[in-house]
Amino acid sequence: MLEFYYNPRSPMARRVWITLLEKDIPFEPILLNLNGDQMATEFLAINPFHHVPVIIDNGFQVIESLAIMDYLEAKYPTPAMLPKEAQALATVRTVQMVTNNELLPQLITLMYEDASSPKFVQAKEHVNKVFNFLTEILGENSYFGSDRLTLGDIVVGGAISLLVKSGENLNDYPKLNDWFEGLMQREAWSKTELSREEFEQFKRVLNILRKRKWSQARSQIVTAVT
């Protein structure tokens, strides 16, 4: 049986979790607490970059959420979650990459910066730009690039869920809001959605990692100039 290494707080792991559930693929969930489990020798042999998600399917290991989702689509093609037509496929890939590159990076700023700070205002403007772009891409369709759920919807929906929990809303984007509310009603989404307590824990852990990276970067700068 396929093994799925995950932690429910990880937005990247939830992408894969939802894909497994939506495709009804049997799997063995292997929970990592991320309090040191990911640094264990056994796990580093699976993923030397010590993060989730990871799957092992009949001995074949795959890391990185988007690669895992593509693998699952190719290996378990029913129900299909990637369109075949060129423009529709490009739409799915576009919204996935825009989410990773333009939307998720703003999340940290919105969660930890004061609402009156220039950084927060700039992040808010960028998020609104992304929301406008996604609204245009979605158009009158039920899902991104298709009339049924795609891997693009899973990636975008997971990111927007975190933004909503951070205090953002889709009131000014009714089409996007209807699409998002429809996702949240699906069984796979309700099963994997973070509770408020889990989200607050996610924020605490993310803040620790954020400060650690800043401290490491500052140390490198000091070392370079001394």
Side-chain angles (χ1 to χ4, degrees):
M1 181 179 291
L2 184 148
E3 298 175 336
F4 172 45
Y5 292 79
Y6 80 112
N7 184 286
R9 295 196 308 274
S10 165
M12 307 310 176
R14 284 203 308 282
R15 295 174 175 177
V16 174
W17 192 5
I18 290 170
T19 304
L20 288 166
L21 294 174
E22 290 283 1
K23 284 184 166 289
D24 198 24
I25 300 171
F27 65 94
E28 176 187 355
I30 301 176
L31 176 66
L32 293 186
N33 291 321
L34 303 184
N35 59 0
D37 291 359
Q38 73 275 25
M39 302 304 295
T41 303
E42 295 82 359
F43 185 69
L44 290 177
I46 298 171
N47 185 357
F49 307 109
H50 53 77
H51 58 71
V52 293
V54 178
I55 66 164
I56 302 179
D57 189 20
N58 293 319
F60 183 67
Q61 299 173 190
V62 192
I63 66 172
E64 300 296 342
S65 61
L66 295 183
I68 295 172
M69 293 165 74
D70 280 350
Y71 171 82
L72 295 175
E73 175 67 14
K75 180 74 181 290
Y76 306 93
T78 305
M81 299 181 73
L82 276 181
K84 303 298 184 183
E85 193 270 326
Q87 292 185 5
L89 179 59
T91 295
V92 171
R93 296 305 191 202
T94 296
V95 298
Q96 286 180 324
M97 299 309 296
V98 166
T99 297
N100 276 2
N101 298 331
E102 306 296 340
L103 194 57
L104 280 175
Q106 308 307 321
L107 178 64
I108 295 177
T109 301
L110 294 177
M111 284 198 300
Y112 301 114
E113 291 289 337
D114 186 89
S116 62
S117 73
K119 287 184 178 180
F120 184 96
V121 173
Q122 185 177 17
K124 176 79 170 177
E125 290 175 351
H126 199 80
V127 166
N128 287 336
K129 182 188 297 185
V130 174
F131 284 172
N132 278 317
F133 177 81
L134 292 174
T135 297
E136 183 178 350
I137 289 288
L138 183 62
E140 299 301 323
N141 297 319
S142 301
Y143 300 100
F144 285 104
S146 180
D147 58 356
R148 55 187 175 185
L149 186 76
T150 70
L151 299 182
D153 297 292
I154 292 176
V155 171
V156 180
I160 289 182
S161 173
L162 291 175
L163 286 163
V164 169
K165 284 184 170 59
S166 299
E168 293 299 302
N169 64 66
L170 299 172
N171 293 342
D172 294 333
Y173 309 93
K175 291 182 182 178
L176 202 59
N177 187 65
D178 290 345
W179 162 85
F180 180 70
E181 288 185 351
L183 285 187
M184 294 299 104
Q185 293 172 11
R186 297 178 71 95
E187 183 179 357
W189 291 79
S190 60
K191 184 173 182 178
T192 59
E193 188 68 4
L194 287 180
S195 66
R196 174 52 59 179
E197 181 181 355
E198 288 171 328
F199 178 70
E200 292 302 324
Q201 190 174 9
F202 164 75
K203 284 177 61 177
R204 289 193 293 270
V205 171
L206 185 60
N207 198 32
I208 292 171
L209 294 175
R210 181 177 70 103
K211 290 180 177 179
R212 184 179 300 165
K213 286 183 179 180
W214 165 243
S215 178
Q216 290 171 346
R218 183 170 56 185
S219 297
Q220 291 172 355
I221 292 171
V222 171
T223 300
V225 300
T226 55

